[in-house]
Amino acid sequence: MRIIHAADIHLDTPYARRSDAMRHRLQAAGREALIRLVDLAIGEEADALLIVGDLFDNEWLTIATERVLGDEMRRATSAGITVVYVTGNHDPGRANYRAMNINWPEQGFHLVNSRQPVEIPIERSGATVGFVVGAGHQTPQETLNLAESYPTAPRSAPAVAMLHTQVTTSSDASNHEPYAPSSLADFGGKGYAYWALGHVHKRHVVLGDPLAIYPGNIQGRDFGETGAKGALVVDLASGALPEARFVPLAGVRWEILPVGDLAKARSIADIHSAARTAFEDLVTSDGDLLADQQWILRVSMSGPCPLVDTLRRDEERNDLAEYLRDALGVLDLEVRDDGLHRLLELDEHRGQQHVLGVALDLVESARTDADSLRQLEPAALANGDAYPEGRKRQDYLQGLLKGIDVAVAESLLREERE
Amino acid sequence: MRIDSWQIEAFGPLADWEETDLARHDLFIVLGANESGKSTLFEFLTSVLFGFSPARAQDHPYKPWSGKFPAGALEVVLADDRCAHIARRLTSRAEGRLSIDGIEDDLANRPVPWVGQLSRAVFKNVHALTQDEAFGLDQRAWQAVQDRVLGGSSYDFLRPSLEVVDDLESRRTQYWRPDRRGKPQDRQILDRIRELRGELAPAQGRRTRIEAINADLTTVEEQLHEQEGELHQTELALERDAVLAPLLRRVDRMRDLDRKATALVASDELSADVTADRLSLSVMCSDLADEIGKLESEVEVREQLRKLEDSDVRLIKHRERIERLDRTAARAEADDHRVQRMDASLQRIEGSLQELAERTLADGRLSEPARQLLVQISVVELRGRHREWNDRHRQAVDAASALAEAKRIRLQQESEMVESESDLRDLDERLRALRQAQLSIPTRPPASALLMPALTWILAAGTFAGLIAVVVGLVLGGALGIALTVVGVVLGLVLGLMLALYRLAGRRSSAAAVPLALTGQLQSLGIEAGADLDAEIERARTARDNALRQEGLKALHERAKRDETDAGGLAADLKAAAGEARSSFLSLVAALPLAPIHRETPDDTLVRNLESMHRVIDDGRKLQKDRDGVQQHLKDWRADVETLRVELAVELSIDPFDAVSITRRQLETALKAQQEAHSAAAEIPEIQTTLVATRDQLVVSGVRLEEIDAALAALDPDAGDPARGLELLERARELRAESVRARTELDRDSADWHERVADAERLIETGEVIGLSDEERVTIRRQRETTQSQSQDLADERGSLRTEREALTEIPGPAHIAGEIAASEDELAFVRREHDQLAMVQQVIRLAEQRYREQYQSPLLNSAGVYLERFTAGRYDLLTVDDADPSDVQLQVRRSGDEFPEPVAPPLSRGTIQQVYFALRLAMVEQVEGEEPLPLFLDEMFVNWDPDRTASGLKALAHMTEDRQVLLFTADPAWAERASTEVGAHIVRTPDLAS
């Protein structure tokens, strides 16, 4: 049995703080990714298309999205593909939820919006080639472990379990709300060949046997969702481990472009050259690009730069962003100062008998010695409540040490006049 | 470490500067004007010790002015007395070599080992002191300096720690504050989040309302749909009544007409207009018959035209000849005229010949043999021989003339020749003797030599007389006196002249005397004594000249005789040659019967006449030949015309030219007739083809007419009358036409009437009623109006619901607000983190400041106190700090003998404060460097101090030199001298002063 595993499509995300034009483009990108998803299912001759929750971002649904959804789902079912959609925390199965009123295809489409798992046979040419079992969120904040209620998998053919869940031990779990929580132990012992998960937007394998994967969302929405986004093509055969293959679907790629080699930048042309080099390296090294790939970049500048005073001004960075956007030919671009500083020779001052030398020594000690670190703790922390005493506070302070030697040196050293 | 020597190859403005033997000087002064390179020297020494910074030649601030690479070397003596040689060069990369104890080490761009951990920046700050640093210290500046020096920021590249902490505090509190003061970004974001959260509930309410509107809209849509259904039914019934029923009636009528027409005529296969067809066929048959008649007559006419006359045939047969003769007639006529002209020319030629013959030949007549001879004579040969003869004859004549002339000259010379009485030699001897005798006579002055004496006498006499006259005149005066003066002068001149002449005569007379010794000689010559010797000499000369002339004449005579002989021979030869040439010429014309005079004296006239006759005869022959040729052509042409006349067997004009012209015209006429015959022959087949087709058409039309009549007769089954059959046909057709009109109207009024009729018939079959009564119609219409009104109300309600929903959709919904909240929370986290990081930086700096003081401040103050005591000559002996208030640490100094220290601040004098500053700086030097003491560089130190302070400062320096070498830079020569005198400083001059 071949399935297409997708999740967290988040159609009609509001994209707050974006311009109207950009919002429209990004919302259209979500719909375009959905169309590519159906193209993929048809092109791969899949038996089933699994959408594991958060198909919608919220209760608001545009006419364009409603129309595309209906058309695409009908296109998939018309091609003989069984579509199974389980609800998530963003699109729970409330009766008056607008998504529930969409004109879904009558044949071949299954909407699972209840906590009770539903078993759906997948057929090809009149024969059952597999089973899909899924349960959906009924409310926006499910607290039950829905995985516990999944029955034992049928044995006559490969079975796939669909669940929109927060596996508490998965990476990036801290960035998501713990709705419908589950654990790795819930996945074993039920006989499912594959757990098709949803909720965490970062693609990664949670468990190897049975194989449980978060495919990530099919279209990134901000700079926390960078990299290739798409769906998985999963081939299941009785008695064999499933094989999962990633296929990119996102027409708009969010990426953070680190630009650190600015020590010799004397003009905007130098910054452009550095940014272009970094961008070209990114493009050439990435094998998951679409033919008409568009980009939204965050140029993250760090390190020594002669133009640091200019680049620390918001209006200058905005102008630079506009220039780089046009020069690199990307959809949108922002410029961030993530550690720009003056040209400094820190090593020259380490160990010297002056306050800067002593300060650098203190910072160095604090990186490895907890007591030294504690001595550097400010009297009042703005994030003090978020990081109470203990390991978390120590980790937080340790995180603050990053780049602090440069900040100290920048503060103490007078600016050189050329 | 002590500097012993430096070699600066190129460094900034300095080039090729070498100084040696410096290590033995603890203190030396670099004396140079401003901008002469003192600071450059310091930079050079720093670069040698620490390496180049920056390490690229093109970026280095001290690129040599000469364009070379920065390069140089330093020799130093270390504390353990080892000598080290350091060489540096900065090209595309920095190079450095260190030699100690013969061991070389590649330094690259690293500092020399003995500087230890001391950085370049610290070295430049600490080991270089300038007067400016403390010269202008006022209270505020000193406070800043104090903070720096006492803190760890006592370098000019570091900002004071307190100042930095204050700045950070200012920045940090913009992000977040623990208290409620101000409006940091954190609080602003929290306020914004609070507002957004407050908007959530209303947004949810709007969302709920949108859902309710959607449900209401669904209900309204359903009701509208139901209403539309009812309306549709009423409309349907009315439409059936209004449209279908009348339609059915029309269709029934149309079908009835078709039935009636079929009853009259079951099958109508005839054309639409049979009557017209019958009439047209009849007319056509008649026309075809007429056409056939015309075609037949045309064929007959053309048959006639095909035949030609015999005469025309003959003319056409000889067409080529006639045309040829016609073409050549003009030429024949021209030839005829030409022959006549030729004959005239021949006559003229003959006349010319005759005339020439009369002048040239003996009988004045040119016979045929003579004509032949003339033709055979080569004119070129004739002319050539005659010319030869002429030339020879002329030469002979010239030779004869020359001979006659030679003879004449000879004769003349003979007549001039006279026999000389004396030999020429004798005459020469005589003349010579006479001259010799003359020479013996005293020289008589020449007349010219007597001129001056004569003039002298004249003037003297004249002057004497003049003087006398003047005196007398003056005495007498007036006119008489003047007259006497003039007379006196004239008389004087006359008298002088007479005296001069008298003297001349006497001289000459006396000069004529001949000495006696020569008298005998002269007698031998036949000259008597007393003879005029001059005359004798003259005679002798003349005789000699004559003798000479005669001698010349004799020579000429001899030559003349020879010339005459030669001329005679030449004349004879030339005469013989002329005779031969004449004979040769005459041989050419011997056979001609020339006139005797020409034979005797054949001159140019004869030659010209013969040439003319030759040419004329030749021309005449050519002309005759041409004439004969033309005449033959003409004759042939005429014979051809005659032959044509016979063959044509027609009477033609005697004049052949007229005959040819007439015949030509007749030929044209015959050709025209021939062309017409050909055209007629070509047209006949076509006409006959047309004739056949026309006949066929006539047959067809006749058959068709018969068929129509038969068909019409068949329509009348009783009588078989075509007329009756026609009437029935017309009636049936009228009925069908009406049916067609009805169908056309139906098609126009309702394109789909077929389907409608089919539907109506199906409805009727199912029992539906298509038509309505009047009452039924009214009832249904009222029902429709009611339904429409209800639908409109529902549509209005739907519109208002949609409008409300659109308005609600415009406002950001919960998801949008949630997104804003999420973004704000991210921003809040960022701001707080920024704050925390700034706070940590603050904490690091505070802690570092505290640690620095703990570790380094106390030793520094102790060492500074020692220097201060030296500077102040013991007036102050202790430096300490008052750090009771950490935010306001104050430096204190204790006067010797006092119990408590006082702040280093006014009323302490500026000079004392400066001394404290320098003491601190010098203490720092010791603090920062390692085991190898490095040189100290002082720039214009003490220059502006008062003498006492300067002296104490110099003494302090002297103490410092116990530990290290000190270099003082100054532009003041007087101060340099003073330092040299008081503390033994060695003076080194920068290159511009040294040169």
Side-chain angles (χ1 to χ4, degrees), chain B residues 444-466:
Chain B
R444 287 182 294 177
S448 63
L450 296 175
L451 182 60
M452 286 306 295
L455 285 174
T456 303
W457 277 106
I458 294 170
L459 285 173
T463 302
F464 181 73

Side-chain angles (χ1 to χ4, degrees), chain B residues 931-947:
Chain B
E931 293 182 359
E932 186 71 41
L934 300 174
L936 193 63
F937 300 86
L938 309 179
D939 188 13
E940 299 292 359
M941 282 289 291
F942 316 128
V943 171
N944 292 316
W945 286 13
D946 59 60

